[in-house]
Amino acid sequence: MKQKRKGNISDMKISKNGNIFSIDNGRVSYIFSVEKDKYLMHRYFGRYINQYAGSAQPFFFDRGFCSNPDPEDKRFSLDTLPQEYPDMNQGDFRSPAYIIQTEDGCRVTRFFYKGYEIIHGKPGLEGLPSVYAEGENEAETLCITLEDECLQAQIRLYYTIFRDFDAICRHVEFINQGKQEIYMERLMSTSMDFPGTDYDLLTLSGSHTSEKNINRRAVSGDSVVIESSRGCSSPQENPCVILMDKESTEYQGQVWGFNYVYSGDFQAVVQTGQYQTVRVQMGMNPQTFGWRLGSGQKFVSPETVMVYSCSGLNGMSQTFHSLYRKRLCRGVYRDKVRPVLLNSWEAFYFDIHEEACLSLAAQAADLGVELFVVDDGWFVKRNTDRAALGDWREDREKFPGGICSLAEKIREMGMGFGIWFEPEMVSPDSDLYRAHPDWIIRSSLYDPVLSRTQYVLDLSNPEVCDFIYQSVADILEKTKASYVKWDMNRHITDLGSAYLKEKCQRELSHRYILGLYSILERLNRNFPEVLFEGCSSGGGRYDAGMLYYMPQTWASDNTDAVCRLKIQYGTSILFPAITMGSHVSDVPNHQVRRITPLSTRFAAAMSGNLGYELDLRKMSEEEKREVKEEIRFYKSIREVIQMGRFYRLKNPQRGNEAAWNFVSEDGRTVIYCYFRILSDPLSLSFPVKLKGLDPDSVYRLEENGLCYGGDELMYAGITSYPEKGDFSSHVYVFQKIK
Ligand code: DGJ
């Protein structure tokens, strides 16, 4: 069965037919209805339905223990029906999408359907990151209003469908039009009830240095909660839930991906209901969220991106990749290839000096590096990780000529200059902390807990945000840096703010993130030429929220090539290679002491945004020649890696091999990377089948001029003959010749 390949404006429509809303773009449909003029019932999210005549309708049936909001109809109970945005206290005892409390402590609400509006394009979310549309023709948005007449409050549910992407974005607004204050205790951006329970659940979990492990298991008869209360999206759990038909694979079957465009605490719930349904929710983590909504105020939730694929997990990833690359990332670097950089961290750690930087930079420039990044340790008294965060002033002992002159000299070598900050933090041993002990996150009662000998600044306080903005902006102005690495190396404990009123303390987690976003928005606006790279001890805040402000992220502090294969493979479930910072580092590797060949370290790092993070001066002449050649090669193909389509072929998280291929946007160039992790005496080697090629075209393998049909490469596959020894790899470049 063929799907329509490309949407156009006439394919993208939102319609209301009787009590049924239908949202589609010619490839996916999303359908729900209004029942009894009041209640929203979910009906369908999946492959495009041309003419929906009302199937998959909610099944009304009188069952035991069912509450009946309509006293005349015992078959109608919210507990047994698929909801669109469920509340509690009307008989649905599954997980509610929201909980509100009134001033007198009442937690019962009655929000009913009131009306709808169709908006051309996609409205932005004030103060929050979001996927965007360029022009009204690219997207259409449905806004449904629910109202509670007693509370005089409204909920607005937003759904955006895109012309070019098989994704729907959802977020909600709460509007308090009444006189009393209402208190929000729970707030999900999305809730959806799936029929049946025959699904697998896939999540990305991990830890520092072992991010994005692909975790697939059966949905079972109870609830799974995926969450972070660490003050950031976290390396432990990514805000992502993927539901798959049980038989779905990498390239076949139905997959529904949910990803939260937010960088702070979150909760996702996958709940099996008593009548064999699965409820998926994604939103704020109620453990750390609470919000007082005063009279006349509005609360805007972060958004969830929901992707449907009928071509397996890879189809879902490709939609996330293209949507995020083209309509989440912003700025001049959105459509620009990214520079090859050298980062000073694993070369020097804190022992960083002007002279060493300049000689390393000269070496880097000679080998073709385009950007020299001074990592941690460049500012005054920052000789260990125990001091000086917050004092963003250059260290004249380490840099006698000053950081500006260093930047200038690096530019004279033909490279850009980049610099590291960890602006959200402060060391107890710092002038900043001594001057403003009340600027940190802490309770009023206890000594706050340290982590990496640092505290977290209270970003709910606008004065703190101004300070952070100004500190970074001053250095950017002075040094004319073209790149910033924005780090965040601890999680948040002791939630308490000297700035927020007592009754607003529970707002701190979300206000922290809003403060962070406001700083980043200002920096983006005032320094549009600067490339920002996010980092949180590696991939600890690698989320869609940060990508809106920073189009790339340092994927992990683990730079070992073998570990990186696994981490980058897992990362690719959601994020495109162009967003993935990946560096060639020294051997033995600093995290795991493994010795891998330079060619394999390169092949792993070039599968993302290539950088180097080692002292190139210490390499042999032969190794330097190899690095020079590899950088030259990467530059010749990086557009394919960074802008092309990505196909996962062999999963290193499960086996001894890793393989993937990239296909350029125009389909002309194919880069295929193969890795064999451990050698074995039998040297078994099976063909790997490439993906995304044209079966009727012929492709020339650059290294030897041999020509293969696209059908041959995809159906029979290509066999690699890895060299003897562990950790071997091979990168193939094919050009389409006819
Ligand atoms: C953690 C980062 O992930 C590293 O790359 C490095 O920048 C250090 N912080 C510096 O403290």
Side-chain angles (χ1 to χ4, degrees), residues 171-349:
H171 79 278
V172 301
E173 285 176 2
F174 276 72
I175 300 150
N176 181 4
Q177 296 164 329
K179 293 213 166 41
Q180 62 167 321
E181 190 175 77
I182 55 180
Y183 181 63
M184 301 167 61
E185 292 179 18
R186 176 180 180 82
L187 180 68
M188 294 289 147
S189 299
T190 291
S191 184
M192 198 189 302
D193 288 345
F194 285 78
T197 55
D198 229 5
Y199 305 99
D200 278 353
L201 166 65
L202 190 149
T203 54
L204 299 173
S205 47
S207 62
H208 175 228
T209 64
S210 175
E211 295 87 346
K212 315 274 185 309
N213 294 294
I214 301 171
N215 193 358
R216 180 174 178 171
R217 69 279 203 187
V219 167
S220 58
D222 39 31
S223 297
V224 176
V225 173
I226 298 116
E227 63 183 351
S228 165
S229 55
R230 295 167 177 272
C232 62
S233 49
S234 92
Q236 283 74 18
E237 299 280 4
N238 197 269
C240 134
V241 161
I242 297 162
L243 225 57
M244 307 174 68
D245 274 344
K246 275 204 178 306
E247 62 277 11
S248 290
T249 62
E250 186 67 33
Y251 288 97
Q252 269 163 2
Q254 300 199 95
V255 178
W256 297 263
F258 298 78
N259 190 215
Y260 201 32
V261 186
Y262 190 61
S263 311
D265 295 346
F266 72 92
Q267 186 179 79
V269 177
V270 179
Q271 184 185 38
T272 309
Q274 59 176 332
Y275 300 119
Q276 306 303 305
T277 55
V278 176
R279 175 165 289 177
V280 175
Q281 295 184 324
M282 190 165 268
M284 295 302 203
N285 189 336
Q287 193 180 322
T288 53
F289 173 74
W291 199 270
R292 311 197 85 85
L293 204 58
S295 170
Q297 287 182 343
K298 176 166 92 175
F299 183 90
V300 181
S301 83
E303 84 178 358
T304 305
V305 179
M306 311 188 304
V307 168
Y308 170 75
S309 158
C310 56
S311 50
L313 200 55
N314 215 273
M316 180 209 74
S317 297
Q318 294 216 5
T319 300
F320 275 120
H321 290 186
S322 54
L323 180 68
Y324 285 176
R325 179 166 80 73
K326 295 175 181 167
R327 292 294 179 268
L328 175 67
C329 293
R330 301 177 297 167
V332 292
Y333 276 96
R334 185 187 74 178
D335 303 319
K336 234 184 181 176
V337 290
R338 308 292 165 77
V340 176
L341 63 81
L342 184 129
N343 179 293
S344 68
W345 182 240
E346 288 195 10
F348 299 144
Y349 293 104

Side-chain angles (χ1 to χ4, degrees), residues 345 375-376 420 452 485 487 489 535 537-538 554 557 613:
W345 182 240
D375 206 279
D376 200 353
W420 176 96
R452 212 195 187 205
K485 179 174 171 190
D487 210 343
N489 289 311
C535 172
S537 289
W554 177 226
D557 267 359
E613 189 162 335

Side-chain angles (χ1 to χ4, degrees), residues 571-585:
T571 303
S572 79
I573 295 287
L574 287 178
F575 302 115
I578 193 168
T579 65
M580 236 183 263
S582 44
H583 301 170
V584 173
S585 63

